[in-house]
Amino acid sequence: MTPASSAPKNTTPHPGAREILVDAEIDELPEPEPTLVKTRGGLVFLGICLVLIGLNLRTVFSSFSAVLPEVTADAGLPGWAVVVLTTVPVTLLGVFAPLAPILARRFGAERVLLGAMVVLTAGLLIRPVDLAGAGHLPALLAGTAACGAAIALCNVLLPGVVKRDFPHRLGLMCGLYTTAICASAALGAGFTYPVFTATGNWTSALWFWALPAAVVLLLFLPLAIRQHPVRHNAADGGANVWRSAVAWQVTIFMVLQAMMSFSVFAWLAPILRDRGIDGGTAGLIVSVSIVLQMLGSFIAPGLAARFKDQRVINTVVALMTGGGFALSIFGPTDLIWVWTGLLGLGQGSLTAVALTMIMLRTRDSHTAAHLSGMMQGVGYGLGSTGTLMVGQLHQATGGFSAAGILFLVVGSLAAFFGFRAGRNRYVGQPN
């Protein structure tokens, strides 16, 4: 392993099982230098920091849903607030995604990641605060919004930094990075309710997740401030993704998978508890389902890349996800582990193949970066309508049956657009 400062750059896309990392800084002039570390040990420490950042990017979603009934009852949250709190962080992933490359050109990716971790830690600390005379709602809204904005910046920049600094260990780092993100959601789902049980206080259960974020912030601080950012300019390159039918098919596929993915984080635990499953068991079921997402995310990209087109695999994993979600609502509770397991395998595979489409449907790194930006901006922005609709349907009907029907429809639409996106065509090529 060589220090990152002397590691060669690798910006050639390759549709392999692990090659789903896109460099958000690919259009910068001059070309960004790798993170400055002087020793092999320093490079290992950098890798650990980047993986640990990934380990904090989903706890905000799954931790809140794990104690949603307790928060709603104790804080007296109105129905609209529950819908907003489950929707806003996902929406902000799309709103702030386009700002990440702009900030990186001005301040450097490492310092932007550091700033994002500061904001994330602050948001997690603010989230459970009880303001005198105003209650919990203002802090919940402000803290959740801050977390969503911070995660958006990390979502965009972190994969590119991993790819830029570890081209010689890309498979390993991509595996660790994607596993860390899945593990983040699983940890939030699995440990929040036990912390609540131990402390008897949901505010402590939510505050708990500020601790790992603060630790990573302190670890990454010396590395980030040591970098000397160089002002960069944006360079043109790649096909115009906004005018490409292929790009829109891939993006809509991403929208539909995001609608289901973030609804799992926000609503699966409340759905299970609504079906009579206790909070601790519900959290464990969601954690195991998310762990199975990891398995799907490992297997599916490599399988997809083996074929000339991905129509079959895209269709199958979309139907698995929509069907698993619906069965988690309608199926017999005696088989709830089977339904949520099907959902986990399907969702992990669906998310991974949607991201893999970035590489499989582009011919160069510039176009891949532009398609990634389009998919994150539009995908997360519109993907948040999934959590919004589940919340509204729950408020209107008092249950989750309508949401089950919704996700049968969403899964079917994802299968249709996945079939279209899976054809062996490229962005910029006539449809």
Side-chain angles (χ1 to χ4, degrees):
M1 186 178 291
T2 56
S5 56
S6 61
K9 292 281 287 184
N10 181 1
T11 58
T12 302
H14 180 273
R18 304 284 186 204
E19 187 64 272
I20 58 173
L21 300 185
V22 177
D23 188 355
E25 302 172 282
I26 193 71
D27 287 336
E28 292 188 9
L29 289 176
E31 186 179 13
E33 293 294 326
T35 304
L36 179 63
V37 293
K38 297 181 179 179
T39 65
R40 183 173 299 179
L43 183 60
V44 171
F45 182 72
L46 170 64
I48 292 171
C49 287
L50 297 178
V51 171
L52 290 177
I53 290 174
L55 198 58
N56 283 272
L57 296 187
R58 295 295 182 268
T59 56
V60 67
F61 302 103
S62 54
S63 62
F64 182 71
S65 68
V67 289
L68 181 58
E70 288 74 21
V71 176
T72 302
D74 184 65
L77 298 182
W80 67 264
V82 174
V83 174
V84 169
L85 287 168
T86 54
T87 302
V88 162
V90 187
T91 304
L92 291 179
L93 296 186
V95 171
F96 280 86
L99 296 179
I102 298 172
L103 293 173
R105 284 196 290 270
R106 175 64 180 86
F107 301 104
E110 295 85 359
R111 293 194 177 192
V112 176
L113 284 173
L114 177 66
M117 289 306 298
V118 171
V119 174
L120 178 61
T121 304
L124 291 168
L125 287 170
I126 291 170
R127 197 166 53 149
V129 170
D130 184 4
L131 298 176
H136 286 283
L137 183 56
L140 278 169
L141 291 171
T144 300
C147 291
I151 293 168
L153 300 179
C154 293
N155 275 349
V156 175
L157 294 179
L158 191 58
V161 174
V162 169
K163 186 174 183 178
R164 183 189 70 194
D165 290 345
F166 296 91
H168 51 302
R169 293 289 187 272
L170 193 55
L172 172 64
M173 286 301 298
C174 184
L176 291 173
Y177 164 73
T178 53
T179 299
I181 292 205
C182 283
S184 174
L187 290 170
F191 284 93
T192 302
Y193 194 84
V195 174
F196 163 73
T197 302
T199 62
N201 196 324
W202 66 265
T203 55
S204 298
L206 294 187
W207 261 320
F208 174 81
W209 297 107
L211 178 61
V215 169
V216 177
L217 167 62
L218 293 175
L219 289 174
F220 191 57
L221 177 65
L223 273 174
I225 63 175
R226 193 164 60 226
Q227 306 310 307
H228 304 290
V230 177
R231 186 181 292 272
H232 297 269
N233 297 313
D236 294 329
N240 187 333
V241 295
W242 298 96
R243 295 182 180 180
S244 168
V246 175
W248 277 109
Q249 290 159 7
V250 172
T251 297
I252 295 173
F253 185 44
M254 178 70 172
V255 168
L256 295 165
Q257 80 80 20
M259 288 178 68
M260 292 188 282
S261 178
F262 285 98
S263 293
V264 169
F265 298 150
W267 290 107
L268 184 56
I271 285 170
L272 297 177
R273 297 184 68 177
D274 186 68
R275 301 203 66 190
I277 298 170
D278 68 90
T281 303
L284 179 61
I285 292 172
V286 175
S287 290
V288 172
S289 180
I290 295 172
V291 169
L292 288 174
Q293 286 188 24
M294 298 183 201
L295 179 60
S297 68
F298 271 104
I299 296 172
L303 185 61
R306 288 178 180 271
F307 299 99
K308 291 183 178 180
D309 68 54
Q310 292 73 40
R311 288 177 287 185
V312 173
I313 189 171
N314 287 359
T315 301
V316 169
V317 297
L319 293 176
M320 282 177 61
T321 306
F325 213 136
L327 285 167
S328 298
I329 296 173
F330 297 125
T333 54
D334 291 344
L335 296 174
I336 196 65
W337 289 92
V338 176
W339 312 141
T340 55
L342 178 68
L343 172 60
L345 285 172
Q347 185 62 65
S349 302
L350 178 61
T351 302
V353 296
L355 292 172
T356 305
M357 290 297 103
I358 297 173
M359 292 302 179
L360 296 178
R361 293 294 164 264
T362 55
R363 296 182 184 274
D364 61 83
S365 297
H366 292 276
T367 304
H370 298 168
L371 179 57
S372 176
M374 177 181 179
M375 286 175 64
Q376 293 199 59
V378 178
Y380 291 137
L382 295 182
S384 64
T385 59
T387 59
L388 174 65
M389 286 190 284
V390 173
Q392 289 180 324
L393 289 171
H394 182 257
Q395 292 297 319
T397 64
F400 290 103
S401 295
I405 297 171
L406 168 67
F407 284 105
L408 284 174
V409 174
V410 172
S412 298
L413 288 172
F416 172 78
F417 282 99
F419 185 89
R420 299 284 293 175
R423 294 176 300 164
N424 187 21
R425 296 176 181 271
Y426 296 94
V427 173
Q429 179 181 350
N431 194 33

